[in-house]
Amino acid sequence: MKTIIEPFRIKMVEPIKLTSREQREQLIEEASFNPFLLRAEDVIIDLLTDSGTSAMSADAWGAMMRGDESYAGARSWYRFRDTVIDIFGFEQVIPTHQGRAAEHILFSVMVQSDSVVPNNTHFDTTRANIEYFGGRAVDLPCVESDDLESDYPFKGNMNIVALEKLIADEGAEHIPLVMVTVTNNSGGGQPVSMANIKEISRISRSAGIPFYIDACRFAENAQFIRRNEPGYEETGAAEIAKEMFAYADGCTMSAKKDSFANIGGFLCTNDAELAHKERNILIMTEGFPTYGGLAGRDLEAIAVGLREVLDEHYLDYRLLSTRYVVRHLHEAGIPVLMPAGGHAVYLDARRFLSHIEPLQYPGQALAVELYLEAGIRSVEIGTVMFGIDAHTGEERPARLDLLRLAIPRRVYTQSHMDYVLEGINLVWERRADVRGLRIVEAPKFLRHFTAKFEHV
Ligand code: F0G
């Protein structure tokens, strides 16, 4: 059969409130043209993030009822810990309430004021946590990622030459860890190849530097390896994941992504001494080491979700349904980041609205138009988010102006995606009339969350 179906049936539904264009004109104006400031119930299709927004299975909901809420040594903790060890292969598991809490604890014990931490591309919270402890977060994306239109399958890779140069220039003693993010979210949701992971591991280990994986979307990355990297066609995603992590010394994980949970995360390492220090901080900031920042029922849901996410039929459906949207946009001539990533579609807003200069925020303007046209919520990843120079405080265009449409897992069907495609096409047809924006009010840091805009 050629038709790709959602490999699940729907047992419970949430109504979507349908709004008219006139209502949305008023709502987006009240939200100062910032989709973050809308009420979620005023959104028809919510593609703001794939984080914590996925649909859990009947099994996961059932497991939640079994949650053991004992303060110490709960049954749910052991189920969670054993699942994480089985899939990720690390010896020490530290549960946290979400990914950034794992990052905060890891960097609090590893990063100092003269530290430099390389990554293919740091996610905002990873960068912010490194900078909070005085370190410098350096992005080393591969050269192939500069071409938004090529079909190179592993644009999430790290630039290996740049990594070797960074270690030579800074000295291994100033690099407490090397990280790689799978898939590379801030770099367009693109996967990292096993060959690249192997190389990063070899270089880091020969310099005596621990190598960590930011594992949020590890299952999607594993399936990309299976489908696109020679030699892995016959290997299952679980086995590929195990191999990926075998090259690493630890990982941070947000269970809000590739385990379908609404909350949760963890930190892993093979270093018992390091884990001891991390647990001391965990007790102060998150909770006792057998629950971290989570309830027993959350630990259960994550344990179930981590196994479900490695199902190959689910993963094929996931990658193919994102590719379906990207393919239709590309065929319509709409500028979209190629090839399709796993969790999101990235429109190239700078080319989509080529008459709007970067400092009038084409990504933000496109987000506003998609909401007006079809009630779709998306997020700008461009000059609003990254336009302030961290050193000078000056505003300048970001490297790219993208609009991310992140797809929650198992939440929307193909007809929802057809609706999204129609909405984007309608904006594309009237793109010449779209106006840029200016900021009327914004905080100094992380301004994209709360900035207020008006049309120029
Ligand atoms: N690392 C990556 C690659 C992420 O995408 C995120 C979150 C985190 C770490 C932090 O995890 O949210 O559980 O604290 N990304 C979400 C997003 C918020 O929309 O891309 P968290």
Side-chain angles (χ1 to χ4, degrees):
M1 293 295 294
K2 288 205 195 76
T3 310
I4 311 296
I5 60 166
E6 288 83 7
F8 46 81
R9 297 187 299 184
I10 296 165
K11 181 172 203 150
M12 200 186 282
V13 298
E14 280 185 289
I16 292 175
K17 187 175 99 185
L18 298 177
T19 49
S20 66
R21 190 184 165 107
E22 289 67 41
Q23 288 170 317
R24 292 194 294 272
E25 273 168 12
Q26 194 187 337
L27 291 163
I28 195 71
E29 193 169 342
E30 283 165 12
S32 306
F33 302 99
N34 185 344
F36 276 106
L37 304 179
L38 289 164
R39 281 173 188 252
E41 64 176 6
D42 293 331
V43 173
I44 296 177
I45 305 280
D46 203 344
L47 307 181
L48 190 65
T49 179
D50 64 321
S51 180
T53 52
S54 298
M56 294 204 308
S57 63
D59 268 0
W61 281 108
M64 286 186 82
M65 294 303 289
R66 286 200 311 257
D68 176 356
E69 306 301 344
S70 304
Y71 191 93
R75 209 172 43 240
S76 301
W77 154 249
Y78 289 104
R79 198 168 284 139
F80 168 89
R81 186 201 64 176
D82 294 348
T83 307
V84 173
I85 290 176
D86 189 35
I87 293 172
F88 293 76
F90 299 109
E91 290 159 23
Q92 307 285 334
V93 182
I94 294 169
T96 60
H97 79 277
Q98 61 184 85
R100 65 198 71 184
E103 294 161 7
H104 191 81
I105 291 172
L106 174 67
F107 300 141
S108 74
V109 297
M110 291 193 102
V111 171
Q112 290 163 356
S113 58
D114 61 351
S115 296
V116 179
V117 181
N119 201 321
N120 46 355
T121 313
H122 290 273
F123 182 66
D124 336 6
T125 59
T126 320
R127 169 178 293 281
N129 272 301
I130 290 167
E131 290 172 351
Y132 180 81
F133 292 107
R136 191 149 55 85
V138 180
D139 291 342
L140 305 176
C142 67
V143 193
E144 291 84 352
S145 67
D146 283 342
D147 183 350
L148 304 191
E149 284 176 277
S150 84
D151 57 5
Y152 183 71
F154 291 106
K155 284 186 189 171
N157 282 353
M158 179 180 272
N159 183 332
I160 294 294
V161 178
L163 175 64
E164 286 183 307
K165 185 172 181 316
L166 186 85
I167 296 173
D169 290 352
E170 302 288 341
E173 67 280 13
H174 293 122
I175 304 180
L177 73 164
V178 171
M179 282 193 96
V180 72
T181 305
V182 299
T183 56
N184 188 357
N185 182 16
S186 310
Q190 301 288 316
V192 180
S193 71
M194 190 73 87
N196 193 248
I197 290 174
K198 236 190 254 188
E199 272 297 280
I200 301 167
S201 174
R202 186 185 60 76
I203 292 164
S204 309
R205 285 179 174 174
S206 69
I209 305 170
F211 167 42
Y212 273 67
I213 295 180
D214 177 339
C216 297
R217 300 175 180 88
F218 76 101
E220 290 171 9
N221 200 86
Q223 193 72 353
F224 274 117
I225 289 175
R226 175 165 190 192
R227 294 295 173 224
N228 297 326
E229 190 161 349
Y232 288 93
E233 302 84 352
E234 301 300 321
T235 316
E239 220 177 304
I240 293 174
K242 208 162 249 169
E243 183 180 339
M244 280 162 46
F245 294 113
Y247 294 118
D249 301 293
C251 76
T252 55
M253 172 74 185
S254 167
K256 300 174 75 172
K257 281 83 167 175
D258 269 355
S259 63
F260 305 109
N262 302 125
I263 196 73
F266 50 88
L267 170 61
C268 291
T269 170
N270 287 326
D271 182 337
E273 206 177 310
L274 186 74
H276 180 72
K277 287 188 204 157
E278 289 168 347
R279 285 198 183 97
N280 286 340
I281 296 168
L282 184 80
I283 290 173
M284 275 190 296
T285 58
E286 293 277 297
F288 190 73
T290 65
Y291 69 85
L294 296 167
R297 55 180 173 270
D298 300 323
L299 296 168
E300 294 279 350
I302 296 166
V304 173
L306 282 173
R307 297 224 184 268
E308 283 178 0
V309 80
L310 288 162
D311 176 78
E312 70 169 305
H313 298 298
Y314 160 74
L315 283 171
D316 276 339
Y317 142 79
R318 173 74 172 159
L319 302 193
L320 288 171
S321 51
T322 305
R323 198 168 78 184
Y324 172 86
V325 179
V326 169
R327 180 164 55 85
H328 279 85
L329 293 169
H330 185 65
E331 281 170 8
I334 295 172
V336 60
L337 182 71
M338 301 282 289
H343 71 294
V345 173
Y346 295 72
L347 293 175
D348 183 351
R350 200 172 282 175
R351 280 197 298 139
F352 194 117
L353 299 175
S354 54
H355 60 291
I356 299 180
E357 53 159 307
L359 292 179
Q360 290 183 2
Y361 315 122
Q364 192 73 21
L366 190 52
V368 168
E369 292 307 314
L370 273 185
Y371 179 72
L372 283 172
E373 190 68 53
I376 299 163
R377 179 153 71 168
S378 51
V379 67
E380 191 256 17
I381 301 196
T383 303
V384 176
M385 196 179 268
F386 297 121
I388 300 288
D389 187 297
H391 302 290
T392 62
E394 306 258 304
E395 189 179 44
R396 37 101 180 106
R399 186 167 83 94
L400 300 168
D401 276 294
L402 300 177
L403 184 71
R404 186 184 79 169
L405 296 98
I407 308 175
R409 293 166 187 76
R410 301 190 298 205
V411 170
Y412 294 118
T413 63
Q414 183 169 341
S415 78
H416 289 118
M417 289 302 122
D418 288 336
Y419 174 93
V420 169
L421 284 168
E422 185 182 343
I424 298 171
N425 268 291
L426 288 170
V427 175
W428 176 244
E429 279 163 20
R430 60 171 181 80
R431 63 191 179 280
D433 301 329
V434 175
R435 281 180 300 154
L437 295 163
R438 73 168 75 89
I439 290 181
V440 275
E441 201 184 303
K444 215 167 152 202
F445 297 105
L446 297 172
R447 63 178 182 167
H448 54 287
F449 290 120
T450 54
K452 296 184 172 171
F453 300 85
E454 65 184 16
H455 278 117
V456 294

